[in-house]
């Protein structure tokens, strides 16, 4: 099964191999681009350029503290190493994602595992992915969130074989008739004679009860289910794990505190999950719970309010105030729907890039 301990070890091996590869080509010092600013913001727990990247600053600060191997390892090197660790973790998650896509609900085979490893390796070796895995940037953490969301979607669409095995007796158990025998309740095997005593005032006599025969094929399924057997042609059904949509909502909110482009993947996956689980998710209670999980994931933005009161050197904006926080998170200095600044000082938006 792709949720087995063996597959978890294979996923860890994929991540370890990717980490060793990225480590061999890691930037030893401060790279160009936004990395220098992000390293400084993360190390001193400051505020980065809009939208602030609070989750990146918190995670990189923790990893920088944990990856201390003496004075020879500079702050920039440790930050870059932490980014490589996040990027390498994505390949392991992608291995677990590829398994259900390759084999469906069947038990994992050697061929399926090889194909899943190949998928994880192709992603890890992608030149663009490799480039942004060797220095501190927000893209590696964004890729990790994207892979986790795809994994949750795959688990929702294709439940693990273990879940199918657990659901088989329930799915095969038909309606009980008046003549069916429940072995679990009586604690007596089907087919053995049982003695029933009549009240003493009417006389005592032993009555041998013969095994009850099912009246229909459906009742035979009920007897087979109590004995732990499945009958041929019986459809095995299982419901996806009910926690997956709520975990996905929390991950979406948390991922948006790192990079907003995650919404381009989160929206279609959310619509897919809502459509498939519409019977349970499209009612007020469930929708409010999903919204609550998403808002809970956004709580790292409170970090900007806290550190905005005592801004560090190089900090951006004024996120301590409500207006300043909105301006910073919505990237109004750049333009909310602008992707990046052009080389001539003019911003480029999604529309200009797609229409040429």
């Amino acid at each position: 099964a792709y949720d087995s301990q063996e597959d978890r070890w294979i996923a860890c091996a994929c991540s370890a191999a990717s980490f060793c590869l990225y480590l061999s080509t890691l930037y030893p010092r401060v790279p160009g681009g936004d990395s220098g600013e992000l390293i400084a913001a993360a190390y001193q727990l400051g505020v980065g350029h809009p939208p602030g990247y609070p989750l990146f600053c918190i995670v990189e600060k923790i990893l920088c503290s944990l990856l201390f191997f003496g004075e020879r390892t500079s702050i920039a090197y440790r930050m870059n190493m932490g980014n490589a660790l996040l990027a390498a973790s994505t390949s392991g998650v992608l291995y677990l994602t590829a398994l259900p896509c390759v084999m469906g609900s069947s038990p994992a085979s050697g061929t399926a595992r090889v194909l899943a490893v190949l998928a994880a390796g192709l992603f890890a070796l992608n030149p663009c992915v490799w480039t942004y895995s060797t220095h501190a940037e927000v893209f590696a953490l964004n890729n990790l969130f994207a892979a986790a969301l795809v994994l949750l979607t795959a688990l929702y669409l294709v439940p693990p074989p273990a879940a199918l095995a657990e659901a088989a007796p329930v799915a095969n158990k038909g309606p009980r008739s008046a003549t069916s025998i429940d072995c679990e309740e009586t604690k007596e095997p089907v087919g053995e004679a049982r003695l029933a005593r009549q009240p003493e005032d009417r006389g005592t006599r032993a009555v041998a009860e013969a095994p009850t025969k099912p009246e229909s094929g459906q009742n035979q399924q009920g007897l087979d289910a109590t004995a732990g057997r499945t009958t041929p042609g019986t459809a095995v059904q299982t419901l996806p794990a009910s926690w997956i949509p709520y975990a996905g909502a929390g991950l979406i909110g948390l991922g948006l505190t790192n990079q907003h482009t995650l919404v381009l993947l989160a929206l279609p996956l959310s619509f897919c999950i809502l459509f498939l689980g519409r019977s349970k998710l499209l009612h007020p209670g469930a929708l409010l719970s999903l919204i609550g999980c998403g808002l809970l994931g956004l709580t790292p933005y409170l970090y900007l309010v806290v550190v905005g009161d005592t801004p560090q050197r190089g900090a951006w904006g004024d996120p301590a105030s409500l207006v300043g926080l909105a301006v910073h998170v919505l990237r109004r200095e750049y333009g909310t729907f602008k992707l990046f600044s052009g080389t001539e000082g003019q911003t480029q938006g999604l529309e200009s890039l797609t229409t040429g």
Side-chain angles (χ1 to χ4, degrees):
Y2 56 81
D3 60 341
S4 67
Q5 189 69 23
E6 181 179 357
D7 289 312
R8 296 189 187 100
W9 280 112
I10 296 176
C12 291
C14 291
S15 297
S18 301
F19 181 67
C20 292
L21 178 66
Y22 298 152
L23 197 62
S24 65
T25 57
L26 200 68
Y27 273 81
R29 298 178 181 85
V30 179
D34 294 333
S35 294
E37 177 225 334
L38 292 173
I39 289 173
Y43 183 73
Q44 63 185 359
L45 291 178
V47 179
H49 66 271
Y53 305 107
L55 185 64
F56 173 85
C57 293
I58 295 172
V59 171
E60 279 288 334
K61 177 65 174 180
I62 295 173
L63 292 177
C64 181
S65 302
L66 295 176
L67 298 174
F68 180 75
F69 301 110
E71 296 297 336
R72 292 184 178 180
T73 56
S74 64
I75 295 172
Y77 185 80
R78 284 181 277 153
M79 291 282 184
N80 296 336
M81 189 187 301
N83 187 77
L85 184 61
L86 295 173
S89 301
T90 306
S91 62
V93 176
L94 284 178
Y95 168 81
L96 297 175
T97 304
L99 271 182
C101 297
V102 170
M103 67 184 186
S105 295
S106 305
S109 61
T111 303
R113 289 190 172 110
V114 169
L115 292 175
V117 169
L118 181 62
L122 288 175
F123 175 84
L125 295 175
N126 181 281
C128 186
V129 173
W130 193 344
T131 298
Y132 285 104
S133 301
T134 57
H135 58 281
E137 261 290 1
V138 298
F139 305 115
L141 185 56
N142 187 62
N143 289 340
L144 182 58
F145 276 107
L149 287 177
V150 176
L151 173 61
L152 289 179
T153 304
L155 293 178
Y156 196 80
L157 295 175
V158 186
L164 292 173
E166 293 174 0
V170 178
N172 290 326
K173 191 171 183 178
R176 297 171 59 186
S177 64
T179 58
S180 64
I181 302 172
D182 195 335
C183 300
E184 295 181 357
E185 293 180 0
T186 59
K187 304 298 181 181
E188 296 179 14
V190 178
E192 291 186 3
R194 293 175 296 179
L195 298 179
R197 290 187 174 275
Q198 300 295 333
E200 295 181 359
D201 55 349
R202 296 183 181 180
T204 302
R205 62 191 181 92
V207 180
E209 296 183 356
T212 307
K213 294 183 178 181
E215 297 178 356
S216 63
Q218 185 68 29
N219 293 336
Q220 180 64 46
Q221 292 180 5
L223 289 174
D224 288 341
T226 58
R229 300 190 302 269
T230 57
T231 56
T234 304
V236 177
Q237 298 178 353
T238 181
L239 295 176
S242 58
W243 57 268
I244 290 180
Y246 304 99
L251 274 181
I252 291 173
L254 194 61
L256 291 178
T257 64
N258 176 65
Q259 195 178 32
H260 290 172
T261 55
L262 184 68
V263 73
L264 299 176
L265 175 68
L267 280 179
L269 293 184
S270 299
F271 288 137
C272 175
I273 296 298
L274 287 174
F275 177 76
L276 294 175
R278 57 190 180 275
S279 61
K280 291 189 175 182
L281 298 177
L282 294 182
H283 60 82
L287 289 176
L288 287 176
S289 298
L290 289 172
I291 293 173
C293 290
L295 293 176
L296 186 63
L298 293 173
T299 51
Y301 273 124
L302 296 176
Y303 159 90
L304 299 179
V305 179
V306 174
V307 301
D309 282 333
T310 56
Q312 303 291 332
R313 288 181 295 178
W316 286 65
D318 180 29
S321 65
L322 185 59
V323 175
L325 178 65
V327 169
H328 201 72
V329 171
L330 296 178
R331 305 173 69 249
R332 288 180 181 172
E333 290 94 341
Y334 291 157
T336 300
F337 298 104
K338 302 295 183 180
L339 297 180
F340 62 92
S341 296
T343 56
E344 299 179 357
Q346 295 181 353
T347 56
Q348 287 190 334
L350 182 61
E351 181 179 357
S352 63
L353 291 177
T354 54
T355 58

